[in-house]
Amino acid sequence: MKEKKPDCQKKSVGFDLKLKIIDKVTNGQISVNHASVKYQVGRSAIYYWLQKFATLEQKQKGMSSKDEIKKLKEKIKELEFIKDFQQMIIAEAEIDTGNDYAKKSLPESLAKEVELKKRDILKSNGSANASGSQDKPSIKK
């Protein structure tokens, strides 16, 4: 005589219970097998919920990564503005004093940027006098 298998009926499990089970399993409080027995839910259902939870968690991490990238891009813009401002001040100081602070103190690439800013200042502020020679540019302070 064959043994009769227990009826495989799907048990309706509420969302809160699913979250409770997922939380206990992911935190290592109970195993999937123990949760299956304790809450009378199939292991495959618990694994399915865990898979869905992981997907949700990954989506949340992805969204937070996008927010992080946005914040970092904003910070880069801010730092570029500060760098340009500081280079402009160095360029104006070099024009006023005749000293080459940038060449002495900054890496070559930044010193070149300061030199370009200095040229732009001289170009925009220099005015030709009646004899055709260039006056010293006036730097507003």
Side-chain angles (χ1 to χ4, degrees), residues 40-120:
Q40 298 176 349
V41 178
R43 285 179 295 161
S44 60
I46 295 172
Y47 283 119
Y48 176 74
W49 300 336
L50 287 168
Q51 185 179 16
K52 283 183 80 170
F53 174 74
T55 304
L56 176 63
E57 190 176 72
Q58 288 169 350
K59 285 180 184 176
Q60 288 173 340
K61 283 183 182 177
M63 288 173 67
S64 65
S65 294
K66 288 178 186 176
D67 291 341
E68 184 74 17
I69 289 169
K70 185 178 177 182
K71 286 180 185 177
L72 289 172
K73 285 182 178 181
E74 289 172 3
K75 187 67 174 176
I76 288 170
K77 280 185 178 181
E78 178 185 339
L79 291 172
E80 285 175 345
F81 174 80
I82 291 169
K83 181 187 87 163
D84 287 341
F85 183 73
Q86 290 172 336
Q87 288 177 342
M88 189 64 68
I89 291 172
I90 293 169
E92 289 176 356
E94 286 185 359
I95 291 169
D96 286 346
T97 64
N99 291 326
D100 287 331
Y101 302 115
K103 288 181 183 176
K104 295 175 186 174
S105 306
L106 297 175
E108 186 179 337
S109 61
L110 293 176
K112 285 180 182 178
E113 288 181 35
V114 170
E115 188 62 35
L116 291 173
K117 288 194 184 332
K118 218 163 72 170
R119 286 184 198 158
D120 290 342

Side-chain angles (χ1 to χ4, degrees), residues 18-55:
K18 287 179 186 179
L19 290 179
K20 181 179 179 180
I21 294 169
I22 290 168
D23 186 52
K24 288 187 178 224
V25 171
T26 55
N27 288 331
Q29 294 172 334
I30 58 175
S31 68
V32 171
N33 288 338
H34 183 91
S36 176
V37 172
K38 181 176 180 178
Y39 297 104
Q40 298 176 349
V41 178
R43 285 179 295 161
S44 60
I46 295 172
Y47 283 119
Y48 176 74
W49 300 336
L50 287 168
Q51 185 179 16
K52 283 183 80 170
F53 174 74
T55 304

